[in-house]
Amino acid sequence: GAVVSQHPSRVICKSGTSVKIECRSLDFQATTMFWYRQFPKQSLMLMATSNEGSKATYEQGVEKDKFLINHASLTLSTLTVTSAHPEDSSFYICSAQQTWTGTNEQFFGPGTRLTVL
Amino acid sequence: ILNVEQSPQSLHVQEGDSTNFTCSFPSSNFYALHWYRWETAKSPEALFVMTLNGDEKKKGRISATLNTKEGYSYLYIKGSQPEDSATYLCAFSNTGKLIFGQGTTLQVKP
C-alpha cells in the first residue's frame, strides 16, 4: 500500500517551454501533497505544500508564478514549471500524506529529472 | 534556519560488515524523526518514524535509536549485504514539514 507514482521520470526541454509533472497516489487519498527539489549533492528542499481544493503554500524563495501547483483531486497533484530556463534543471520529487498523524509521514514518488537546454 | 546533518556523506563497506550512520537535528520543537532508504531510480522507502526520546526501532538487520534531548539518531545495519546499497535519508519533522539531511550513501561490496 501507499504507492505514489510520478510522471514523467525524465524530461528534456528547450528554454522557454513549460513542463508539467504529475504526482498520483495510487492506492490512497492524499489530503496533502508536497513538492521537493534536489540540486546535486544537496538535500531534498521543500518547494510547496498543496492541499486538495485549495491554493498551494510556497516556501520562501520559491516563485509561485514560476512553479504552478494544482491539487484538483485527492489522488492527483501537478507541478508546472513555466518558461523553464537552464537554472530550473533539477530533480523534482513529490510526496503524499493521507491524513495528519502528528508525525508527518509522507510517501514519495520516484522523482522527475528535468533538464532545460 | 533548521539544519539536519548526516554523517558520513558516503561509506564503502564489505559484505558482512556492520555499519552505522548519524543524523543530527534541532532538539527544540521536535515532532518526529524519519529514516528513508532511497535506491537509485526508485521512490524513497520509509524505514522508521520515531517520536519518543529513547525510542529504538528494528526492521530485519536495520535498527535505529533516537535521542531527542541531544538531537541525534543513529541508524545501524548489521551484516551489510549488497542489496543494502542505497542512500539513507533522515528527516526532522515539525510544523507539518519534513526537513531533510543530505543523506548517507552506502556501497556494500560483495
Side-chain angles (χ1 to χ4, degrees):
Chain A
V3 179
V4 176
S5 71
Q6 199 171 329
H7 179 81
S9 59
R10 190 180 293 269
V11 58
I12 300 172
C13 69
K14 291 183 179 178
S15 189
T17 60
S18 293
V19 174
K20 183 187 278 191
I21 303 169
E22 288 188 351
C23 178
R24 291 181 188 272
S25 56
L26 298 184
D27 51 4
F28 66 99
Q29 293 189 325
T31 51
T32 306
M33 286 185 166
F34 303 85
W35 287 95
Y36 295 83
R37 180 168 53 183
Q38 185 184 37
F39 290 110
K41 298 192 185 297
Q42 294 188 24
S43 54
L44 294 178
M45 295 296 292
L46 181 64
M47 297 174 67
T49 302
S50 74
N51 291 293
E52 185 262 338
S54 60
K55 287 184 180 179
T57 303
Y58 290 81
E59 295 299 300
Q60 197 171 8
V62 178
E63 299 173 60
K64 62 180 181 180
D65 295 329
K66 174 83 170 163
F67 299 100
L68 300 179
I69 291 171
N70 185 281
H71 191 164
S73 78
L74 285 171
T75 59
L76 173 65
S77 176
T78 60
L79 168 69
T80 302
V81 184
T82 61
S83 186
H85 290 284
E87 58 266 27
D88 299 322
S89 298
S90 188
F91 184 79
Y92 294 86
I93 190 168
C94 70
S95 71
Q97 186 176 79
Q98 285 178 289
T99 54
W100 173 249
T101 60
T103 64
N104 200 18
E105 188 169 12
Q106 298 176 20
F107 302 96
F108 283 82
T112 298
R113 172 76 57 193
L114 170 64
T115 303
V116 185
L117 303 175
Chain B
I1 297 175
L2 298 174
N3 223 22
V4 177
E5 299 281 345
Q6 287 188 251
S7 63
Q9 258 190 354
S10 64
L11 200 52
H12 292 76
V13 302
Q14 288 294 135
E15 182 176 355
D17 288 350
S18 292
T19 186
N20 66 84
F21 330 129
T22 305
C23 173
S24 301
F25 54 87
S27 52
S28 58
N29 296 321
F30 176 85
Y31 279 11
L33 193 284
H34 303 246
W35 281 100
Y36 287 88
R37 181 173 175 273
W38 195 4
E39 290 183 72
T40 305
K42 294 187 178 178
S43 302
E45 172 200 353
L47 288 174
F48 304 113
V49 181
M50 307 176 79
T51 56
L52 298 174
N53 184 43
D55 242 357
E56 285 190 36
K57 295 212 172 181
K58 191 173 180 183
K59 192 175 184 177
R61 293 178 292 99
I62 305 176
S63 59
T65 61
L66 179 68
N67 183 322
T68 59
K69 292 183 179 177
E70 295 181 40
Y72 65 84
S73 175
Y74 293 136
L75 187 80
Y76 300 92
I77 302 179
K78 186 177 176 184
S80 303
Q81 300 296 309
E83 57 265 31
D84 295 328
S85 298
T87 295
Y88 292 83
L89 300 175
C90 73
F92 165 77
S93 171
N94 81 346
T95 64
K97 300 177 187 178
L98 291 184
I99 300 163
F100 281 87
Q102 288 181 296
T104 294
T105 299
L106 173 66
Q107 193 75 30
V108 183
K109 296 178 187 176

